[in-house]
Amino acid sequence: MASKVGQAISALREALPHARLITPDATEEYQTLNNSYLSGFESDLLPAAIFLPESKEDVAAFVRSIQPFANEVKFAIRAAGQQPLPGCANVQDGITVDLRSLRGLLMQDKIVQVAAGERWGSVYEFLEPHGLGVTGGKSTSCGIGGLATQGGLSFYSSREGFICDNVVNFEVVVASGEILNANAQKNPDLWVALRGGGNNLGIVTRFDFRTFEQGPMYGGMVFYYQPSFSGQVTALVKELTSTKPSVETHLMLSIAYAQVFGNGNDVLCLNQVYYTQPEQDPPALAPFTNIEPQRKEMNTMKIQTLVQAATEQTSAGQSKIRCLYMNVNVKADIETLNTGGNIWCKELESVKDAAGLMCSYTLQAYPVSQLKRTEANGGNVLGLDPKNGPVVNVLLLSYWADKNDDDRVIAFMKKALEAIKQNAATKGQLVPYIYWNYAFSDQDPLSSYGEENVEKLRNASKKYDPKGMFQTACPGGFKLFT
């Protein structure tokens, strides 16, 4: 163990004698914790210690303890560890701050206070008996922090906005070790900056979200064949550019490949669509559910609770294997979206034999109604203007089993993404925004927010972290000063 890291761990033990500080010599517990990320790319990293704070005061004590070592010792911040970006929530030979023990849910005046170690499933189970919903993650296993500080997409985003837009208060430990509240009245510059600024400004220990009355919804998954995909893209663009698009829908369209689909060596298409009211077969979803032919035995459309919908999304994913995301955003243009799918399918041929491969070309809509909620809810730093019309996020997602396939799967994803991006740019359909939650290491979501928002973030960083500790000692994710 490098001497400086050892000194930092000793300082932390002195500050918190009863701290849960797990080092590699505690073999079983260390491995269990370090292997519990969504992606093996995170578990590949081996920290010198994993610190599990049990209170906001523990987090503040960590920040104060690490300050003298900030030029030599690196640390990472982990909530649920569900974001596959390599190194975003773990660190080689440093200290990983694992927030899983920060638990607690409290309802006050229709605001739900959520401790940073919770997962969305527990939040939904807490709210459901009250007849309430919240703009949160689409999977029960998703953590709070990544989505709430980097944007975040929800079943309710068309109506309620990004997840970050629904945080009315952040309780955050800043670089001084001080515990602050950031909201519209107190530290409002920090409040807005945290809505998209990720881990650049401090360690958030609690998130306070607005809630709303919400009962069951209608939704699920529809599987169908590739010849129908272009018609689905047309339906998506028609809905987004309609004069009266529904604010109750959440629409995800995918071309996917996996041997488990039982479709031989061919891709299969998948719509994950939701209508946030308990209405069977609503007309708004008909274009996306009444597809023929389809794999009817795989159809899961039904009226269900938020807990049930998010549980289904959880079971649709995988964990603890190789996993990466990359993304680009484009305008709602039929030709651009269809060409993107064709590019992805062509490049896919080179990796179909990769063991355990499950991958997709996935379209998610940001309707104008969603983008309008940003200003109405106090602002963020994402830089998406509703005046520019709806946006479609193009996500390339891949899971695979064997580390030996890393290079060629990454090369496939990069080549496809670059061709999709260039095609969109040539047609004037590229939107200069990268969604942090789905970004890969060589992408630059912060710069994509625009100069004005980057300046807001940098000003907040200089004010609340004047020595730049979260820029240099916390290298994961994307940094403001590089």
Side-chain angles (χ1 to χ4, degrees):
M1 184 185 294
S3 60
K4 287 294 183 182
V5 179
Q7 290 174 33
I9 291 171
S10 296
L12 183 56
R13 282 191 167 130
E14 187 174 339
L16 292 169
H18 303 294
R20 286 187 68 198
L21 197 60
I22 314 303
T23 51
D25 55 315
T27 309
E28 186 175 345
E29 186 173 11
Y30 178 90
Q31 290 181 351
T32 299
L33 290 169
N34 206 54
N35 290 338
S36 62
Y37 290 88
L38 169 69
S39 174
F41 284 92
E42 287 283 70
S43 299
D44 288 346
L45 302 172
L46 301 174
I50 302 170
F51 171 52
L52 294 99
E54 297 184 351
S55 67
K56 61 187 176 184
E57 290 80 12
D58 285 359
V59 176
F62 167 80
V63 170
R64 289 193 295 269
S65 297
I66 203 75
Q67 284 169 353
F69 307 96
N71 291 328
E72 293 111 340
V73 177
K74 308 299 183 188
F75 68 91
I77 307 161
R78 173 185 177 169
Q82 295 293 294
Q83 190 171 345
L85 175 67
C88 71
N90 205 6
V91 62
Q92 183 67 36
D93 299 325
I95 302 173
T96 293
V97 181
D98 187 328
L99 302 175
R100 70 179 65 204
S101 298
L102 297 186
R103 306 300 289 269
L105 297 163
L106 180 67
M107 174 67 70
Q108 194 167 24
D109 298 326
K110 288 203 172 181
I111 301 298
V112 61
Q113 298 179 357
V114 182
E118 295 287 354
R119 300 201 183 201
W120 283 111
S122 61
V123 179
Y124 299 153
E125 289 170 0
F126 176 74
L127 292 176
E128 198 169 275
H130 301 282
L132 295 173
V134 65
T135 307
K138 293 177 287 185
S139 166
T140 54
S141 64
C142 277
I144 314 300
L147 292 171
T149 62
Q150 298 168 21
L153 297 173
S154 164
F155 293 119
Y156 306 114
S157 283
S158 294
R159 191 181 70 208
E160 307 292 341
F162 287 99
I163 293 172
C164 70
D165 291 339
N166 286 271
V167 182
V168 297
N169 180 71
F170 297 91
E171 178 187 86
V172 55
V173 179
V174 294
S176 64
E178 188 179 1
I179 302 169
L180 300 179
N181 283 287
N183 52 57
Q185 287 76 41
K186 297 179 181 177
N187 306 303
D189 53 345
L190 181 59
W191 178 54
V192 172
L194 283 166
R195 291 170 152 199
N199 62 1
N200 278 287
L201 300 157
I203 303 176
V204 180
T205 53
R206 196 190 77 216
F207 301 82
D208 300 349
F209 293 92
R210 63 169 54 85
T211 66
F212 43 83
E213 292 183 7
Q214 182 65 50
M217 66 176 81
Y218 179 76
M221 304 184 189
V222 179
F223 290 83
Y224 57 99
Y225 300 97
Q226 189 180 5
S228 298
F229 188 73
S230 62
Q232 291 300 289
V233 168
T234 300
L236 175 67
V237 172
K238 182 179 179 182
E239 169 65 15
L240 288 174
T241 56
S242 164
T243 54
K244 288 189 176 181
S246 172
V247 298
E248 303 292 349
T249 60
H250 180 70
L251 306 172
M252 297 171 60
L253 278 56
S254 298
I255 306 174
Y257 175 79
Q259 289 294 334
V260 297
F261 288 157
N263 202 42
N265 204 38
D266 294 330
V267 297
L268 197 63
C269 295
L270 163 65
N271 290 352
Q272 298 169 80
V273 292
Y274 298 86
Y275 186 78
T276 60
Q277 300 298 327
E279 180 182 342
Q280 186 77 26
D281 298 321
L285 291 189
F288 307 101
T289 58
N290 298 339
I291 309 163
E292 295 296 343
Q294 64 171 270
R295 293 280 293 271
K296 293 188 184 297
E297 80 279 7
M298 298 173 75
N299 186 306
T300 66
M301 298 298 296
K302 61 181 178 292
I303 292 177
Q304 54 187 322
T305 66
L306 176 55
V307 172
Q308 290 170 330
T311 299
E312 181 178 64
Q313 287 288 322
T314 303
S315 64
Q318 297 197 31
S319 63
K320 303 185 181 90
I321 61 171
R322 317 308 287 172
C323 172
L324 283 181
Y325 301 162
M326 300 178 187
N327 80 105
V328 68
N329 288 272
V330 301
K331 297 178 182 178
D333 178 71
I334 295 170
E335 186 180 359
T336 300
L337 297 171
N338 277 324
T339 300
N342 293 337
I343 290 169
W344 182 83
C345 287
K346 176 185 174 184
E347 299 302 334
L348 171 66
E349 293 297 324
S350 66
V351 293
K352 277 187 175 179
D353 62 336
L357 184 67
M358 177 183 286
C359 55
S360 72
Y361 167 85
T362 294
L363 309 178
Q364 292 187 77
Y366 302 173
V368 170
S369 58
Q370 173 180 331
L371 305 181
K372 284 182 175 179
R373 294 305 304 170
T374 293
E375 184 177 354
N377 288 351
N380 63 37
V381 290
L382 302 181
L384 290 166
D385 189 339
K387 296 187 186 72
N388 295 329
V391 174
V392 179
N393 177 267
V394 179
L395 164 66
L396 306 189
L397 174 156
S398 297
Y399 297 95
W400 65 101
D402 192 340
K403 192 173 182 177
N404 292 323
D405 287 323
D406 286 0
D407 289 346
R408 67 188 187 117
V409 175
I410 292 171
F412 142 66
M413 294 175 72
K414 284 186 172 183
K415 187 176 179 183
L417 189 76
E418 184 59 29
I420 292 166
K421 181 179 175 181
Q422 289 300 324
N423 176 67
T426 299
K427 294 176 179 175
Q429 300 297 320
L430 185 66
V431 175
Y433 167 72
I434 298 168
Y435 180 54
W436 184 334
N437 296 113
Y438 295 161
F440 185 55
S441 306
D442 62 354
Q443 300 193 278
D444 187 4
L446 286 171
S447 292
S448 79
Y449 294 175
E451 289 183 12
E452 182 180 342
N453 286 309
V454 170
E455 192 62 23
K456 283 182 186 178
L457 285 164
R458 287 177 172 165
N459 287 340
S461 174
K462 290 172 185 175
K463 179 177 177 180
Y464 297 99
D465 182 16
K467 294 182 180 178
M469 184 171 78
F470 284 93
Q471 301 304 304
T472 56
C474 183
F478 303 96
K479 302 288 103 173
L480 292 165
F481 300 95
T482 53

